[in-house]
């Protein structure tokens, strides 16, 4: 009677022996295991509770329910997220470095500020230190310089003798071709074109040639052109929200023609564009933007700061402690210009920035990708690297975007524009391990993006203490420069 049972037991133990090694399979190795995380799925605007994330070699290699991941994976470093909120690293899609060769050290000192504020990628939109910035980009990628991933336009294309320094000057199609060949040689990440002296037709030629060469382009659209002309030529993004106002005017083409013929100046052109703005015209234009895949970087907070230089006192801003004395000196340009404005001009500026801001929710409604960018750097007074992006996101929500839409602008729109969504923009296997842990839920309150507990940059963990040390070091550098200047 017992024999079959014994035989069955023996068979069972044999089976156990056979399957035991499989059950006890060595766990897969990662570098960092993040436990009990609440992942913010930005794309679907929802949170996924009790997840674990594994990073290895600078990439995310596993994400899933905490228990299952903890069973299958081991790592020398475990991070207890304690149900904190995990978002992809933030992208600031419009920053600048510059002010001249004397300011290289002060500009370079801004890099850690971005990381300390959860910004893991920045898009440099040209300045007058383009070759330094290109070198930093490569050093950061190699790991020999600490900073966020840096994508840069390199030197911008301009006309002859432009007001902007550090440019490739173009007075002919041949010049444009040579400039683009040079930019290709520099392996720039995109092309920036500004128009202080660039001929409008050469602007269109540059945009079209850049596109033909497979380069994305962005810039300041000449007033003598309609925005549609620039988009049709192949412009990839509009920088600064006020340019997006132009196609909202049924008179845009006539205003552009009057400006081109010298019949009106820029101020008059802007006044006419503003007063003739029409909601239906704008929405039709914005739906075409969306269909064309054109993105807009509003840099709204930067414009707001400039519009209010007269009635907002920045002299006690805590963030001045992060701005070197020479960079701070570059702020004077706009401050002095603002001081010369008449009361009527000031009132007009205040009213105008509100009208420009009202365009933002219309673009979103039309489906135009919005990219969060600050315009922080030299010249742009009190527009602070790092914290400025959080101010921009606050403003997006104040203007009517949902927190999820604002977060999309700062985590997914940038990678989408660069064609890098396969590597960025979500917490998922295969993505770069650029991760920010927040102590509050950014989908319910956008202010939560400031509540940074930990920043993981290309797999390297920087906890709150490390981020505070980064900030303290940045302040100490500036304090030392300030002391030197005072002597
Ligand atoms: Zn800019």
């Amino acid at each position: 009677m017992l024999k079959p049972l014994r035989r069955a037991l023996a068979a069972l133990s044999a089976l156990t022996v056979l399957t035991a090694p499989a059950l006890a399979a060595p766990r897969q190795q990662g570098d960092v295991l993040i436990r009990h995380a609440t992942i913010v799925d930005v794309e679907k605007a929802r949170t996924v509770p009790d997840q674990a994330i594994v990073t290895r070699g600078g990439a995310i290699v596993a994400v899933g329910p905490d228990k299952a991941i903890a069973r299958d994976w081991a790592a020398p470093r475990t991070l207890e997220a304690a149900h904190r909120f995990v978002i992809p690293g933030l992208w600031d899609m419009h920053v600048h470095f510059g002010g001249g060769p004397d300011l290289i050290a002060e500009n370079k000192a801004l890099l850690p500020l971005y990381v300390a504020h959860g910004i893991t990628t920045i898009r440099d939109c040209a300045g007058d230190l383009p070759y330094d910035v290109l070198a930093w980009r490569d050093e950061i990628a190699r790991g020999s310089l600490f900073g966020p991933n840096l994508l840069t336009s390199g030197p911008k294309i301009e006309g002859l003798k432009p007001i902007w320094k550090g440019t490739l000057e173009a007075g002919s199609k041949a010049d444009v071709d040579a400039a683009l060949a040079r930019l290709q040689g520099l392996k720039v990440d995109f092309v920036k074109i500004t128009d202080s002296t660039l001929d409008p037709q050469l602007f269109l030629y540059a945009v079209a040639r850049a596109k033909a060469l497979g380069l994305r382009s962005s810039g300041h659209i000449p007033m003598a052109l309609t925005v549609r002309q620039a988009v049709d030529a192949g412009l990839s993004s509009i920088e600064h929200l006020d340019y997006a106002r132009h196609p909202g005017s049924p008179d845009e083409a006539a205003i552009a023609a009057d400006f081109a013929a010298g019949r009106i100046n820029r101020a008059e052109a802007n006044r006419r564009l503003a007063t003739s703005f029409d909601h239906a015209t704008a929405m039709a234009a914005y739906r075409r933007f969306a269909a064309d895949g054109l993105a807009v970087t509003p840099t709204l907070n930067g414009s707001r700061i400039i519009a209010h230089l007269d009635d907002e006192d920045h002299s006690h801003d805590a963030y001045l402690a992060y701005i070197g004395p020479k960079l701070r000196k570059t702020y004077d340009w706009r401050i002095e210009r603002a001081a010369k404005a008449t009361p009527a001009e000031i009132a007009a500026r205040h009213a105008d920035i509100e009208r420009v801001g009202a365009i933002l929710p219309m673009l979103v409604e039309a489906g135009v990708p919005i990219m969060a960018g600050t315009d922080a750097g030299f010249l742009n007074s009190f527009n602070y690297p790092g914290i400025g992006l959080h101010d921009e996101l606050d403003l997006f929500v104040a203007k009517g975007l949902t927190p999820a839409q604002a977060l999309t602008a700062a985590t997914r729109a940038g990678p989408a524009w660069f064609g890098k969504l396969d590597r960025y923009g979500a917490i998922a296997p295969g993505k770069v391990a650029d991760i920010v842990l927040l102590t509050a839920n950014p989908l319910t309150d956008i202010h939560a993006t400031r509540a940074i507990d930990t920043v993981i940059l290309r797999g390297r963990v920087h906890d709150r203490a490390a981020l505070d040390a980064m900030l303290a070091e940045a302040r100490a550098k500036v304090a030392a420069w300030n002391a030197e200047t005072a002597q």
Side-chain angles (χ1 to χ4, degrees), residues 24-286:
R27 294 192 293 171
Q28 289 180 270
Q29 276 293 322
D31 294 337
V32 181
L33 171 61
I34 307 169
R35 304 253 347 234
H36 307 109
T38 306
I39 292 179
V40 178
D41 180 342
V42 178
E43 188 184 10
K44 298 199 174 76
R46 59 166 195 187
T47 54
V48 189
D50 208 36
Q51 299 288 293
I53 303 154
V54 185
T55 74
R56 186 173 61 202
I60 298 172
V61 289
V63 177
D66 182 76
K67 271 201 179 70
I69 294 290
R71 184 190 62 215
D72 296 342
W73 289 83
R77 177 154 191 194
T78 298
L79 217 74
E80 177 48 60
H83 307 288
R84 288 189 188 89
F85 297 85
V86 174
I87 61 169
L90 302 170
W91 287 44
D92 187 334
M93 286 295 284
H94 195 122
V95 309
H96 293 286
F97 296 99
D102 285 354
L103 277 70
I104 291 171
E106 287 190 15
N107 276 278
K108 207 170 179 178
L110 301 175
L111 293 169
L113 275 184
Y114 287 105
V115 180
H117 288 89
I119 297 154
T120 52
T121 300
I122 53 175
R123 181 180 65 149
D124 163 58
C125 291
D128 56 15
L129 300 170
Y131 303 100
D132 298 276
V133 176
L134 279 161
W136 299 346
R137 173 191 69 174
D138 298 341
E139 288 165 29
I140 289 168
R142 279 200 304 271
S144 57
L145 174 65
F146 181 77
N149 308 309
L150 208 171
L151 300 163
T152 178
S153 63
K156 61 186 151 319
I157 296 178
E158 249 289 5
L160 304 175
K161 298 188 171 54
I163 59 165
W164 309 111
K165 296 192 184 79
T167 60
L168 300 176
E169 297 184 15
S172 65
K173 285 184 176 179
D175 288 348
V176 169
D177 288 336
L180 286 168
R182 173 109 174 91
L183 294 174
Q184 276 194 304
L186 292 168
K187 295 192 166 52
V188 298
D189 299 289
F190 71 107
V191 176
K192 176 94 184 270
I193 311 165
T194 55
D195 71 319
S196 78
T197 61
L198 184 65
D199 175 82
Q201 293 310 313
L202 285 184
F203 177 93
L204 292 177
Y205 179 75
V207 168
R209 287 305 303 152
K211 187 174 186 182
L213 294 168
L215 291 160
R216 291 168 183 80
S217 65
S218 191
H220 296 176
I221 303 163
M223 187 64 89
L225 300 174
T226 64
V227 170
R228 177 42 54 190
Q229 284 178 290
V231 177
D232 283 345
L235 194 73
S236 312
S237 74
I238 291 181
E239 308 304 309
H240 317 305
L241 199 50
D242 51 333
Y243 286 99
R245 165 159 63 192
H246 298 194
S249 165
D251 304 335
E252 187 194 12
I255 296 166
D258 282 349
F259 181 85
R263 288 189 287 270
I264 55 172
N265 63 16
R266 183 171 295 271
E268 175 62 8
N270 273 318
R271 194 197 60 76
R272 280 174 62 188
L273 286 164
T275 53
S276 59
F277 185 85
D278 169 68
H279 190 274
T281 305
M283 285 306 294
Y286 299 162

Side-chain angles (χ1 to χ4, degrees), residues 280-299:
T281 305
M283 285 306 294
Y286 299 162
R287 285 192 198 97
R288 281 187 71 193
F289 282 3
D292 291 331
L294 182 79
V296 174
T297 317
T299 68

